[in-house]
Amino acid sequence: MGNFKGISGELLAMSDALKKGYIVAKIPEVGSHFNMYDFVLDDGVKLFRVEVKTSDYSEKTRNQNCVEFKLKRKNGLSYNVDCFALVCLKISKVAWIPSNLIKNKRRHTIKYKDFDYCGLPKNPLSTEIKKEEKFVNQLSLFK
């Protein structure tokens, strides 16, 4: 538990997903070579494997209005995930990028202003679940 930047990014991404109505399941830490992704999102129909990449600034870019993320593992293996949650701690925002858009890249750079366009869509099933819960609660009032 020594990587506070990484843990902070994971928690911010999981919080963002929870606020948008997704169920989040954290994958237990079993060692750096065994964890193939950080957590799973459940939208009520499908499960999505998520890898979180966290940065607080960009060391490589001269432009201070963007942040760079490393997408390859130290051992050279690719991630087998459905999407990346790219977290910028400097602005406390998460960009959700489908893995097929950046699968073969070693690095990915995002401008701060573009984080607003890469958000996780609200889970449409979460509103249906809330409607059902409200209906059940109304029924219980008549007992």
Side-chain angles (χ1 to χ4, degrees):
M1 252 228 359
N3 183 359
F4 293 112
K5 181 173 81 170
I7 293 168
S8 298
E10 286 180 20
L11 292 173
L12 189 62
M14 289 188 290
S15 173
D16 185 50
L18 286 167
K19 284 191 281 187
K20 292 178 178 164
Y22 292 84
I23 298 167
V24 176
K26 176 71 176 116
I27 304 302
E29 298 290 330
V30 292
S32 60
H33 299 292
F34 299 107
N35 288 24
M36 298 308 285
Y37 43 89
D38 292 315
F39 63 88
V40 175
L41 286 183
D42 181 349
D43 69 357
V45 176
K46 187 176 177 200
L47 301 176
F48 301 91
R49 297 163 297 175
V50 179
E51 176 64 28
V52 179
K53 292 296 172 188
T54 306
S55 184
D56 47 6
Y57 63 92
S58 177
E59 296 174 1
K60 301 281 183 193
T61 58
R62 292 184 181 170
N63 183 350
Q64 297 302 314
N65 293 322
C66 60
V67 62
E68 183 177 79
F69 298 91
K70 296 176 187 171
L71 301 177
K72 290 288 182 183
R73 295 176 181 266
K74 290 177 184 171
N75 60 13
L77 295 175
S78 297
Y79 291 99
N80 186 20
V81 297
D82 300 303
C83 71
F84 286 93
L86 305 180
V87 178
C88 180
L89 294 177
K90 184 175 182 178
I91 59 173
S92 297
K93 291 200 175 187
V94 183
W96 297 87
I97 311 287
S99 63
N100 62 335
L101 296 180
I102 56 177
K103 194 166 193 131
N104 296 321
K105 294 175 88 174
R106 295 184 81 65
R107 298 177 186 275
H108 189 70
T109 303
I110 300 179
K111 293 179 181 177
Y112 289 149
K113 66 178 183 165
D114 291 339
F115 274 85
D116 294 329
Y117 303 108
C118 299
L120 184 67
K122 190 170 184 175
N123 183 1
L125 293 178
S126 68
T127 55
E128 294 300 317
I129 292 168
K130 288 178 184 172
K131 287 178 188 174
E132 289 175 18
E133 287 175 356
K134 185 177 179 182
F135 179 71
V136 169
N137 289 338
Q138 288 174 345
L139 289 177
S140 64
L141 292 175
F142 295 108
K143 290 183 179 180

